[in-house]
Amino acid sequence: YAKTLFYHGRVMLELDKEEEALKSFLAAKDIYERNQNLKMLALIAEEIGMINRKQDLYDDALTNFREALTTYKQLKDSLSVISASLNIARVYLFKSEWDSCSLYYNNALEIAVQNYLSEITILHELGILYRSMQNLPEAERYFLAAYEKETDEEKKYMECLSLGYLYMQMGQTENARKYLKMSANSSKAYTQISAYDCLY
């Protein structure tokens, strides 16, 4: 029954019915607290955190994501620890709290490198973090690292787009043009449109 409530909450979220989703998650949480299913409690905490973040309730989101992180550490679930750490980092990114944001991104990256999990995603998001902070050379370092490690051709085009946009900001026109032209080869219309827009 609790699992059904959880999946109902997930479906409601997909339908953008956040209040109904929240009711289902809280009902499922009540049951799982009684039978101490830690994995499901952590998943629910993450989902509630996502709702909080979408509603700009950043402190509530942090509380839920931290609860999930603590439980995942207890369960020694590396992939989920990375996921929760990234969620916390993204909240701090929205709050423009760069030091806390950087701390959680780097913690996630350290685990990812040790376990070969999600490393490219984290490198890319660190690039976004430093670009937001206007530390463009540091952003370049992370975007290039993500580009060099990416083996999926389609995802590589997205890395090219990020690099092209960054080089535009840095005033490096030739580098910008080089990476934007590469990203325009993507099969994804959105990537192509973004590349052509920047080239224009």
Side-chain angles (χ1 to χ4, degrees), residues 98-127:
W98 311 126
D99 289 344
S100 297
C101 181
S102 181
L103 173 71
Y104 280 96
Y105 271 128
N106 282 302
N107 287 346
L109 182 60
E110 192 176 312
I111 297 165
V113 170
Q114 290 170 1
N115 296 279
Y116 308 104
L117 303 166
S118 312
E119 183 182 359
I120 296 165
T121 300
I122 298 165
L123 288 169
H124 184 87
E125 291 196 23
L126 277 164

Side-chain angles (χ1 to χ4, degrees), residues 68-85:
L69 179 61
T70 301
T71 305
Y72 290 138
K73 283 180 177 176
Q74 190 179 337
L75 294 170
K76 296 180 171 54
D77 183 342
S78 296
L79 188 58
S80 296
V81 166
I82 291 171
S83 169
S85 297

Side-chain angles (χ1 to χ4, degrees), residues 173-190:
T173 309
E174 287 310 308
N175 275 336
R177 187 176 288 116
K178 170 186 158 186
Y179 283 104
L180 291 168
K181 282 184 174 179
M182 288 165 65
S183 66
N185 292 318
S186 171
S187 63
K188 305 286 186 192
Y190 179 80

